[in-house]
Amino acid sequence: MKHQETISNMTLEQKIALCSGQSFWETKEFRELSIPSLFLSDGPHGLRKQEGEGDHLGLNSSVATTCFPTASAVSATWDVELITKMGEAIGKEAVKLGVNIVLGPGTNMKRNPLCGRNFEYFSEDPFLSGKLSAAWIHGCQSTGTGVSLKHFALNNQELKRMTTDVIVDERAMREYYLPAFEIAVKEAKPTTLMCAYNKIEGTYCSDNKRLLHTILREEWGFDGAVMTDWGAMNDRIDAFKAGLDLEMPSSKGSFDKKVKVAVENGSLDESDIDNCVDRLLTLIERTTRQKSGAVTENVFEDNHELARQIAQASGVLLKNNDILPLEKEAKVAIIGKLAESPRYQGSGSSQVTPTKLVSLLDGVKTYTKDVSFAEGYTIEDHVEEALQDKAVTLAEKVDVVILCIGLTDIFESEGFDRTHMQIPQNQIQLLHALSEVHTNIVIVVVGGSAIEMPWEKKGKAILHMQLSGQAGGQAAADLLFGAVNPSGKLTETYPLTYDDVVNSTYYQKNPRQTPYLESMYCGYRYFTSANKKVRYPFGYGLSYTSFDYSEMKIQRSNKGEMTVTATIENTGQRAGHEVVQLYVSPQTVGVYRPKRELKGFAKLYLEPGESKEIAIQLDTRSFAIYDERQSDWVVESGSYLLQLGANCEDIRLEENIKVDGVNPVRSDCSDWYYTLQGEPTKEDFLTIHEPYPEYVPKTKGTYDLSNSINEMKETSLVCRLIFKGIEKRIAMQTGGEVDYKNPEFKMLMDTSSDLPLKKMPLLAPDQMSFPVVHFILDTANGQLFQGLKKLIKKQV
């Protein structure tokens, strides 16, 4: 133990206290022991430092900082060096503002496109997500600032995120949901890791010793501290045993007495607490030696320009029928409320107050003075005929229409999931109206998640900017007018319709229990394996130039590693970047597995006519599957196709190689996992997973502390009154009216009213105590007098 002397001088009460927060954003300080407090802040795409009243949903004010593109946009750069710079920039701002630990990056997989928080996660591919997460962490930690890799693990939905129980087969967990975290932990050594709210196979992540100790520490070698997401603590005693070091935020010592009693009666070993304290003391050492000398006076100006570069690199050109790039001084009409009032980041805990903000309208005006603007639609999804008519009239007078459409805040946010994949209908109606009077329509799409695009033929060109940060409007203009050549590539599949998504029929069917029937077949792993057509495939993105792939070669080392090389030539008339993607396609006819998986990539810049050689490394893990019987990774012997492509469906070069390993054996499971025909059923799933009981919704008389006010209000007068009180209070915070079309109101209502009772004292200890929570529960179960008796005696 590294800090044995300090720990031996601490009382049991001090050690227990150190392992929970002092306030919403700070850890505890013990001056007499020379233990300082740490300040933590949200920050996957920019710092959200709150100096006043703290909250975890981005409503209260925060200090102005650089708002970079969100993870869904950043990942489209496929640029490890650029993302390292972004992490470093955020780290420098943290140093300047006195933040010790930045809560990020978000590294969860995109299991379904309706997850409300997909904008905050990198990709549907674990290899890419892991490499980009590692790059972000390297950059941020190079400044001496700590990070918190999140949310560990299988946090792939917002609906019932605090109580859902994820049922997942071992191979899917090991091969799809954990590798991004594993890569980030092994390659970047994050100072902290944040556990998720949900359960995995019946055990909350905060209590999950297999997850936090066996896998994270023993198998992966993680040597940092583990903290909870805000309010994610379930059972502090079990959490100590699991290796959960820090409870956040402060719950005013809610668990301290129980923990002390557990030590005194022998049900909790004091050494478990000592180990947590030791790791927290190491964390303090690591994150209180920040490099203040590296922060310049112009850090915010410099970072604004970096945000612009990242947004330029993340813009994905989806379509171009010889209209882009636009001529400077072209006569242009900018149409769309989102062009004037940009949606540049998501809602919730990652919401940043930007240092400045450039809209698409602002950006286009730097390239042409002959520009006019019409709103065309309202942010609320209802048609305003006058606005639409004005936009159509304007469109008839110009050479080119630039229409900005996409998802609004009410369509995607932390706290709730989307209900469909469409953009607002008033925007679609406007597009149809414009297409009747103009053929030169350039569509600029904004939004942090995949969308249905049945209207894509209405545009001559489509540039997808996603959520591109505070400089996104200027970056979009740079791309539209050809100052920069688009190089972004999608990092999630855009299906034709949501119905084509493998888990579309059961994703939200029973949110308290979430069986991953599809196993590891998510995103392109499903679409390519099922031979299902998509709108735009994973890895897709156009350029103003063209590239040729040739001379693919494979060199093997004695250790089983290999290097794949190829020559890439710019055969067009403009300089540009290309992202070369390496997929491994097994031909072993052994266990079920995806048709192809990304195992390497390289991004390079080429002048017209220039060619360069790329080299991508593969190791044995690139070919491996997880063998449950051996609890280890194994490689099946046989043939594998190594495929170099511009996206997962555009394979330019391939070579068939032989790899030595174990004898391939077909999995003893349902044929669905080989054919992917139709949709998987529970019966199919039980051939790869142990039987499990179906979740039965609680009813009056059986409610427990995992139930919420929202779940109990129909059968409990007290809960109905509390629900109405929550509505009234949140309405006062968000404009004065109960309005479920207001994104802030909806996010707060969904989060607050659906908060499990047990979490209420953890997130608001000054407003809600455990005795009051138990009183609410007892009354909801029809036991009013028992609840009153407990409340009076303050029994829990």
Side-chain angles (χ1 to χ4, degrees), residues 9 158 232 247 291 301 364 453 458 509 541 556 572 578 637 660-661 676 695 697 751 782:
N9 290 328
E158 289 298 285
E247 174 202 5
K291 301 175 183 179
E301 288 295 326
V364 171
M453 302 173 71
K458 301 294 182 180
K509 187 175 181 180
R556 297 184 186 238
E578 173 67 331
S637 180
D660 293 331
L676 306 191
Y695 173 78
T751 301

Side-chain angles (χ1 to χ4, degrees), residues 3 6 22 96 111 121 128 229 253 309 319 371 388 439 493 549 605 633 666 690 761 774 794:
H3 301 92
T6 300
Q22 175 65 36
K96 185 177 181 68
R111 174 178 177 242
Y121 303 136
L128 179 62
D229 199 343
Q309 293 174 30
K319 179 180 180 180
V371 56
Q388 182 172 297
T439 57
T493 304
Y549 293 42
Y605 177 82
W633 295 90
R666 183 181 171 88
E690 294 295 320
H774 279 270
K794 294 185 178 180

Side-chain angles (χ1 to χ4, degrees), residues 409-597:
D409 283 334
I410 196 65
F411 278 69
E412 58 175 350
S413 170
E414 179 179 352
F416 58 86
D417 286 338
R418 298 157 70 194
T419 56
H420 55 74
M421 286 184 65
Q422 301 165 20
I423 64 171
Q425 291 300 308
N426 62 344
Q427 298 180 21
I428 297 174
Q429 182 169 318
L430 173 63
L431 172 57
H432 284 288
L434 291 171
S435 68
E436 291 178 2
V437 301
H438 214 300
T439 57
N440 290 335
I441 300 176
V442 175
I443 302 173
V444 176
V445 179
V446 299
S449 308
I451 57 176
E452 292 177 357
M453 302 173 71
W455 37 259
E456 61 95 17
K457 291 182 180 179
K458 301 294 182 180
K460 192 169 274 190
I462 302 175
L463 176 65
H464 197 347
M465 293 303 297
Q466 304 195 66
L467 298 178
S468 53
Q470 67 181 51
Q474 185 63 62
D478 297 336
L479 295 167
L480 291 172
F481 286 87
V484 177
N485 193 343
S487 63
K489 303 258 189 172
L490 294 177
T491 59
E492 58 185 309
T493 304
Y494 277 52
L496 293 172
T497 71
Y498 179 61
D499 289 343
D500 291 335
V501 175
V502 63
N503 46 35
S504 61
T505 61
Y506 56 88
Y507 173 64
Q508 296 171 331
K509 187 175 181 180
N510 185 356
R512 287 290 295 264
Q513 185 181 64
T514 312
Y516 288 12
L517 307 182
E518 72 281 354
S519 188
M520 79 279 284
Y521 291 109
C522 293
Y524 77 88
R525 282 166 168 73
Y526 168 71
F527 289 107
T528 57
S529 302
N531 295 315
K532 206 161 210 175
K533 289 184 179 181
V534 300
R535 181 77 61 187
Y536 298 112
F538 174 86
Y540 176 86
L542 301 177
S543 170
Y544 294 151
T545 190
S546 55
F547 300 94
D548 180 68
Y549 293 42
S550 63
E551 300 179 20
M552 181 177 182
K553 298 176 183 177
I554 300 167
Q555 297 176 324
R556 297 184 186 238
S557 72
N558 294 331
K559 297 180 180 179
E561 298 173 344
M562 58 187 71
T563 302
V564 179
T565 61
T567 299
I568 312 300
E569 180 183 3
N570 184 343
T571 56
Q573 302 302 309
R574 290 176 176 267
H577 290 86
E578 173 67 331
V579 176
V580 182
Q581 302 156 41
L582 175 59
Y583 296 89
V584 172
S585 179
Q587 310 294 306
T588 55
V589 197
V591 300
Y592 65 90
R593 58 198 301 186
K595 181 177 181 179
R596 64 175 61 97
E597 295 181 279

Side-chain angles (χ1 to χ4, degrees), residues 172-278:
M173 185 173 75
R174 295 288 191 159
E175 296 179 29
Y176 186 69
Y177 290 102
L178 293 187
F181 289 99
E182 181 181 1
I183 292 169
V185 165
K186 289 182 175 179
E187 295 187 4
K189 300 188 182 303
T191 44
T192 79
L193 181 143
M194 182 189 293
C195 83
Y197 290 115
N198 52 279
K199 298 177 184 178
I200 300 176
E201 301 288 342
T203 303
Y204 280 100
C205 289
S206 65
D207 307 347
N208 200 314
K209 187 170 184 178
R210 180 173 184 247
L211 184 70
L212 302 184
H213 179 76
T214 305
I215 294 175
L216 180 62
R217 298 192 189 281
E218 289 188 344
E219 294 183 21
W220 297 354
F222 178 68
D223 63 355
V226 177
M227 69 172 68
T228 64
D229 199 343
W230 266 231
M233 183 64 73
N234 178 55
D235 184 308
R236 192 61 183 105
I237 296 170
D238 286 343
F240 270 122
K241 295 176 182 179
L244 190 290
D245 304 306
L246 177 63
E247 174 202 5
M248 289 299 294
S250 169
S251 61
K252 306 293 185 181
S254 297
F255 297 107
D256 290 7
K257 278 187 179 180
K258 288 185 177 180
V259 172
K260 184 182 178 185
V261 169
V263 172
E264 291 172 344
N265 67 24
S267 58
L268 174 64
D269 197 316
E270 189 171 353
S271 65
D272 287 329
I273 300 175
D274 290 348
N275 288 332
C276 291
V277 171
D278 189 50

